[in-house]
Amino acid sequence: MTLAADLLDIATRIARDAGALAHRRRQEGVTVAATKSAAADIVTAADREVEAYIRAELARERPGDGFFGEESGAEEGETGITWVVDPIDGTVNYAYGIPAWAVSIAAVEGPPDTASWTALAGVVFNPVTGELFRASRGGGAWLGGQRLAVSEVGPAGGLIATGFGYDPATHAPALEQLSRVMPIARDVRRIGAASLDLASVAAGRMDAYYERGTHPWDHAAGALLVAEAGGTLGGAPGGRPGRGMVIAAGAEFFPVLEAVLDY
Ligand code: LIP
């Protein structure tokens, strides 16, 4: 078994168990534990518990690896592999009971920085629908037994997912940008979980996704899904996905979207 396949197996098992735990906690009732960057940016007790569970399981399976998680921070490892984890991506959906949230786990090689890492394995699991999207470097992107491929955009334009983030200062420019996107869009979706938006692009359910302000744990696994499904990814002009921007689409539609974003 290759290293990437081995890491994918570990991520898959842990994401399933972590998702089941989060789902159970959701059914018991959710409490907001704290706010983070803004009043709308919340963390629930379940986010913390589920991340602690994932971190402990990873430490048991692969003791020398690094860890980079949304709720409990970063720890360098000594193997060159870092786990990038969002225990509950789409926390606001989770808190409201909207069934669009996911456990996102990626294993990356190299410095734990979106500008230079190489993603080896990634899993995005929605415990409510039971859908588990997975990819390993060179091994394709999969949903169950179905190999995923990005879509080709028809004459009606792209079905484009986006998000607006929690920083109010970015909302006016984001809306202005959206007005430039509409002419190339069949329609727009704001689902509220970047990992699921990216998984949807990989599965051809969405033609494209873009968003500024997301964190590495929001898009690490999803970006690998898109790449392994034959899609194109970008960030700041000419760069890789990062805080400044994440764009994901099929090869033909990518430059069309990138041009109108004009960021
Ligand atoms: C969320 C993202 C979403 C974005 C939100 C937030 P969280 O992640 O998935 O796309 O619009 O601002 O970053 O906070 O639920 O893990």
Side-chain angles (χ1 to χ4, degrees), residues 138-227:
W142 298 83
L143 173 59
Q146 185 199 347
R147 188 160 187 164
L148 303 180
V150 295
S151 60
E152 274 174 34
V153 177
L159 186 61
I160 303 175
T162 190
F164 301 102
Y166 300 121
D167 179 0
T170 64
H171 292 163
L175 290 171
E176 199 261 316
Q177 195 170 46
L178 184 61
S179 71
R180 294 195 303 275
V181 169
M182 287 312 284
I184 62 159
R186 166 190 286 270
D187 206 343
V188 165
R189 297 286 181 269
R190 197 297 186 243
I191 285 172
S195 61
L196 290 174
D197 288 327
L198 287 161
S200 297
V201 173
R205 292 180 184 171
M206 208 74 84
D207 294 312
Y209 161 74
Y210 75 93
E211 183 167 354
R212 80 165 291 289
T214 56
H215 295 277
W217 47 79
D218 296 318
H219 56 79
L224 182 63
L225 286 166
V226 172

Side-chain angles (χ1 to χ4, degrees), residues 17-51:
D17 291 348
L21 172 62
H23 199 22
R24 231 167 29 242
R25 293 291 180 258
R26 169 64 240 173
Q27 283 161 336
E28 290 162 7
V30 172
T31 47
V32 174
T35 57
K36 299 193 285 183
S37 63
D41 187 3
I42 53 171
V43 55
T44 70
D47 285 90
R48 290 176 175 163
E49 183 186 0
V50 174
E51 182 160 314

Side-chain angles (χ1 to χ4, degrees), residues 53-74:
Y53 171 79
I54 295 171
R55 193 167 185 161
E57 287 297 298
L58 288 171
R60 207 166 53 79
E61 294 265 10
R62 304 235 348 144
D65 292 352
F67 185 86
F68 187 22
E70 173 165 21
E71 312 302 345
S72 59

Side-chain angles (χ1 to χ4, degrees), residues 68-144:
F68 187 22
E70 173 165 21
E71 312 302 345
S72 59
E75 185 185 327
E76 265 184 50
E78 58 272 340
T79 59
I81 304 291
T82 300
W83 293 91
V84 186
V85 171
D86 193 341
I88 299 177
D89 180 41
T91 305
V92 173
N93 286 344
Y94 182 79
Y96 275 72
I98 297 168
W101 53 272
V103 178
S104 176
I105 302 180
V108 305
E109 194 169 33
D113 166 10
T114 50
S116 42
W117 74 36
T118 302
L120 297 182
V123 171
V124 173
F125 177 45
N126 178 342
V128 186
T129 61
E131 287 187 320
L132 187 141
F133 300 86
R134 64 189 197 282
S136 60
R137 188 172 171 76
W142 298 83
L143 173 59

